[in-house]
Amino acid sequence: MPVSSTYLLRRLLYMIISIIGVSVFGFILFRIVPGDPVLMMVSPTASLEDIEALRHQLGFDRPLYIQYVNWFRDFLSGSFGTSIRYNTDVLELVTSRLPATLELVIVSILVAFVIGVLIGVISAVKSGSWADRILTGFSFLGFSLPHFLWGIVFIVIFGAIAHLLPVSGRIDIDFEVTPITGFILIDSLVSGNLAAFKSALAHIALPAISLALSLIAILHRTLKSSMLDVLGEDYIFTDRMKGLPERKIIFERALRNALIPTITILGVQFTFLMGGSIIIEYIFGWPGMGTLLFTAVQYKDLPLLQGIVMVYALIVVLTNFLVDLTYTIINPKIELR
Amino acid sequence: MSSEEFITESLFEGFKSILSIKVIFGLIVLIILFSTAILAPVISPFDPNEQRLNEAYKPPFWVKGGDKNYILGTDSLGRDIFSRLVYGARVAAVVAVVATILTAITGILVGLLSGFFGGKVDQIFMRLVDIWMSFPPVLFALALIAILGVGLKNVILAIAIIDWTRFARVVRAEVINIKEKDFILADKAVGMSNTHIIFREILPNTIPIIIILATLEMSIAITVEILLSYVGLGVKAFTPSWGSMISEGLAYFRIGWWGMLFPMLATIVVILGLNSLGDGLREKIDPRLSLMR
């Protein structure tokens, strides 16, 4: 279904405005440092010459607008400067950590989708039953408590008390998986290393579930209400009259239509989980962009920090754009704004 | 009344009572939190920072080896956990109130102006909100703390800088709804000033929604403070915060579970209480309102 071109253009324009806005914002944010940003970055023992050399290297001795123009030009060409802590290109550092973060977020979404749909269907079909009430209670818990609290709860229960699952890292250090895609689950499967795959799966379990709980709750609520709507439709009534088996009615006829509003939620939630993954990575020692961010904060590595902030923001802007587009494609009657 | 009607009727009544249970539970938690915060010096038996290294790792009094003086035990530095918990409530309450007031003022102002004037003003404000919301809150908070430095004031400032958008968006939508109502059109027709209409006529009508938002904002503010203190970027060292207590307690979890359990429980109860209050109020006041993130 073609999307109206004026809408597409306007949405594209919004996205460009957002990207420019984000870049201005990211620039200003790191120039409002109280005192001298250069002093923040050097070691306390640095000589005056070292400080001035760094100031010149960062271009901080130039007028502000020139600094911004230079920064925006570099930003467009993907050059985010050099990390002070690692002395490596910022973009290189960030992209090397990106697959780990994406793997965590995507696995969380998959887990949330499977569980969320399952309990959503149960709640709708058995609406008002004890099962429904218990699930609704769990949903409220899952939605109310922040990701990091779940993370800590799981570390204590499964890690410290029961010793069931690993609580730190992506895989046991004994395994060596040659990176192909950067997604360790896929790479270990492709190279046929089942033991490594199992280890990676065990490592991702707790962080992914901690991150997934809020989304499970949201999917549960949304799917329950849309299932209840669909189950009240005439065609479901007709199906029942025709004597179709209940299982077939629920999973094939009703669920398919009820899933549409659920799927549009996933896009928005992707950006939300990207944000949540930061603290989950910290808690579980997951070597993604989130832990890199903490290193940047700890070492006051401003170029690295700025690079990471911009990459997260760009991912959010692009995702929102794609979500709006798919939304209008799925449902062309709705013109957003 | 048929039996079927009776069942739906009683289900409905049951549903309604669940709602009020949510609100009552939330209010009780809120009252306990604030009275603990205000009465902290009276309630706590010890100075929360007083160290007695030879009394370290004492379990709660009901556990073997416990000491009646330290009802919830002591931490790795021999500080009284109960006293730290009580003073931690003070930090949480201060953050909740001050940060919520600051975010509310900014957000409500933007929402009122954006919704009332529409057009260019609205466009600019809403683009600004979009840009703001492109930065994941945790990332935003960490970046701000990296720049501003740690400490209670900066934690509150960071929350205020980040979270006004929530108020702005919801209040704006509400204002757009209200401003087409007859009584506002009548005010305009008789020549009332915009300032008068915005602050005297529209603002009072948004108060129910503002109360719901403020309740949820308090829970968010407390969460952010605890999260930042947990990672060591919140309050300064030695200020008792539930977040830093949890991370310290995790470090000596094998020696004593009590160090992390009590601040964890306090955090969970307070966050659940505030969410349940917000959710319960929303269901009662404005069921259409969706506050899903």
Side-chain angles (χ1 to χ4, degrees):
Chain A
M1 197 69 73
V3 181
S4 98
S5 55
T6 44
Y7 170 73
L8 191 71
L9 275 179
R10 196 173 48 200
R11 195 59 193 76
L12 203 63
L13 185 71
Y14 280 167
M15 187 185 71
I16 293 169
I17 293 175
S18 285
I19 290 178
I20 294 176
V22 161
S23 80
V24 173
F25 200 87
F27 174 78
I28 293 174
L29 193 61
F30 293 92
R31 292 299 181 283
I32 54 163
V33 181
D36 189 340
V38 181
L39 285 184
M40 255 176 84
M41 289 186 262
V42 295
S43 71
T45 55
S47 71
L48 210 59
E49 286 86 51
D50 288 346
I51 294 172
E52 287 315 309
L54 181 65
R55 190 188 306 284
H56 186 72
Q57 185 205 328
L58 294 169
F60 282 10
D61 50 354
R62 301 204 181 126
L64 211 58
Y65 69 95
I66 293 183
Q67 284 186 42
Y68 173 71
V69 171
N70 286 340
W71 188 80
F72 190 61
R73 201 188 48 215
D74 288 350
F75 164 69
L76 285 183
S77 62
S79 158
F80 289 75
T82 309
S83 155
I84 291 165
R85 158 100 176 105
Y86 295 97
N87 201 21
T88 346
D89 184 59
V90 166
L91 191 67
E92 219 170 89
L93 266 173
V94 176
T95 44
S96 73
R97 297 293 194 99
L98 189 60
T101 298
L102 287 180
E103 185 170 39
L104 175 60
V105 172
I106 290 168
V107 169
S108 297
I109 291 180
L110 290 178
V111 169
F113 188 73
V114 172
I115 299 178
V117 167
L118 196 70
I119 66 174
V121 169
I122 293 174
S123 263
V125 174
K126 307 247 177 237
S127 177
S129 69
W130 280 108
D132 175 31
R133 283 188 199 185
I134 291 170
L135 289 175
T136 306
F138 272 120
S139 268
F140 180 71
L141 272 183
F143 184 70
S144 295
L145 292 182
H147 297 131
F148 82 101
L149 281 184
W150 284 119
I152 298 168
V153 169
F154 288 151
I155 283 191
V156 170
I157 295 175
F158 293 100
I161 299 176
H163 300 287
L164 275 176
L165 286 163
V167 293
S168 178
R170 271 179 104 184
I171 192 163
D172 276 332
I173 39 168
D174 310 338
F175 293 108
E176 208 156 307
V177 179
T178 25
I180 305 165
T181 56
F183 292 80
I184 227 163
L185 286 172
I186 298 177
D187 290 349
S188 56
L189 264 190
V190 169
S191 54
N193 191 344
L194 269 185
F197 178 74
K198 266 187 198 158
S199 168
L201 205 59
H203 277 81
I204 205 169
L206 291 182
I209 291 172
S210 317
L211 198 54
L213 278 171
S214 63
L215 182 53
I216 291 175
I218 292 172
L219 289 174
H220 170 251
R221 282 189 193 186
T222 324
L223 194 71
K224 181 188 169 185
S225 78
S226 66
M227 269 300 266
L228 284 175
D229 285 348
V230 173
L231 285 174
E233 296 273 344
D234 288 344
Y235 73 90
I236 298 292
F237 184 72
T238 321
D239 284 345
R240 289 217 168 101
M241 290 289 103
K242 282 195 289 189
L244 280 184
E246 191 65 18
R247 184 178 293 265
K248 193 170 172 155
I249 294 176
I250 290 166
F251 287 99
E252 286 181 27
R253 303 280 290 162
L255 185 59
R256 193 176 296 171
N257 286 315
L259 273 180
I260 294 174
T262 318
I263 285 166
T264 53
I265 289 175
L266 289 182
V268 180
Q269 283 294 314
F270 173 78
T271 63
F272 182 65
L273 292 195
M274 281 298 289
S277 71
I278 295 170
I279 186 72
I280 290 297
E281 285 187 11
Y282 173 88
I283 289 176
F284 288 96
W286 188 262
M289 292 204 298
T291 37
L292 190 64
L293 173 71
F294 277 97
T295 315
V297 171
Q298 195 185 347
Y299 289 93
K300 303 217 184 274
D301 189 340
L302 287 191
L304 182 59
L305 186 57
Q306 201 172 21
I308 297 172
V309 168
M310 295 310 297
V311 169
Y312 273 107
L314 281 182
I315 290 175
V316 172
V317 170
L318 284 176
T319 312
N320 286 342
F321 174 67
L322 292 176
V323 167
D324 277 6
L325 278 195
T326 23
Y327 198 53
T328 40
I329 290 167
I330 293 178
N331 200 348
K333 270 182 277 180
I334 293 175
E335 280 262 312
L336 295 167
R337 273 178 279 194
Chain B
M1 190 186 277
S2 77
S3 65
E4 221 176 86
E5 270 173 1
F6 176 71
I7 290 169
T8 27
E9 189 70 29
S10 57
L11 261 180
F12 184 67
E13 286 303 318
F15 197 52
K16 256 168 67 180
S17 72
I18 289 171
L19 294 191
S20 41
I21 283 171
K22 272 188 181 177
V23 174
I24 292 167
F25 169 63
L27 283 176
I28 291 174
V29 169
L30 201 64
I31 290 168
I32 294 177
L33 175 71
F34 282 116
S35 39
T36 312
I38 293 166
L39 299 173
V42 185
I43 299 174
S44 64
F46 295 97
D47 176 338
N49 284 322
E50 197 184 327
Q51 302 180 12
R52 286 169 221 84
L53 289 173
N54 52 344
E55 312 252 305
Y57 303 122
K58 283 240 185 278
F61 76 89
W62 65 86
V63 178
K64 200 172 156 255
D67 185 328
K68 278 212 174 60
N69 288 324
Y70 310 110
I71 39 177
L72 298 182
T74 57
D75 68 5
S76 57
L77 298 172
R79 296 174 298 191
D80 180 41
I81 286 176
F82 179 68
S83 303
R84 290 184 72 70
L85 213 53
V86 166
Y87 274 88
R90 189 169 253 205
V91 171
V94 167
V95 171
V97 171
V98 182
T100 301
I101 291 175
L102 292 178
T103 46
I105 290 175
T106 326
I108 292 168
L109 215 57
V110 170
L112 284 172
L113 296 178
S114 203
F116 184 76
F117 290 109
K120 281 232 168 64
V121 180
D122 187 35
Q123 281 274 331
I124 292 171
F125 275 134
M126 285 307 110
R127 288 302 108 216
L128 202 61
V129 167
D130 278 354
I131 291 167
W132 227 263
M133 293 180 72
S134 304
F135 299 97
V138 175
L139 170 85
F140 207 163
L142 289 170
L144 283 173
I145 291 298
I147 290 165
L148 299 169
V150 297
L152 190 58
K153 261 190 212 153
N154 289 340
V155 170
I156 292 173
L157 191 62
I159 297 169
I161 292 174
I162 296 166
D163 239 10
W164 59 273
T165 51
R166 190 187 317 271
F167 279 92
R169 291 201 321 174
V170 179
V171 170
R172 168 185 175 267
E174 194 66 9
V175 171
I176 289 173
N177 224 346
I178 296 171
K179 76 172 178 183
E180 300 302 330
K181 296 252 165 77
D182 288 342
F183 70 99
I184 302 293
L185 297 177
D187 288 344
K188 278 188 184 163
V190 298
M192 278 188 185
S193 73
N194 283 341
T195 331
H196 183 95
I197 297 178
I198 292 175
F199 291 104
R200 289 293 178 76
E201 307 289 328
I202 294 181
L203 181 61
N205 281 293
T206 58
I207 283 177
I209 279 203
I210 289 172
I211 291 174
I212 300 172
L213 283 174
T215 315
L216 296 173
E217 186 60 43
M218 285 201 277
S219 129
I220 292 165
I222 290 178
T223 306
V224 173
E225 184 271 313
I226 291 172
L227 188 154
L228 287 174
S229 298
Y230 175 81
V231 301
L233 294 167
V235 296
K236 292 199 171 89
F238 289 109
T239 310
S241 156
W242 295 343
S244 42
M245 287 177 78
I246 294 173
S247 77
E248 288 157 11
L250 265 181
Y252 62 86
F253 185 79
R254 270 167 222 289
I255 307 172
W257 46 267
W258 51 88
M260 66 87 52
L261 184 72
F262 297 117
M264 191 79 182
L265 286 179
T267 306
I268 290 175
V269 169
V270 165
I271 290 175
L272 278 185
L274 286 170
N275 277 322
S276 128
L277 181 60
D279 215 36
L281 288 173
R282 180 184 60 83
E283 282 162 358
K284 286 241 152 173
I285 299 174
D286 191 354
R288 294 167 298 115
L289 189 67
S290 165
L291 292 170
M292 288 205 171
R293 294 164 277 209

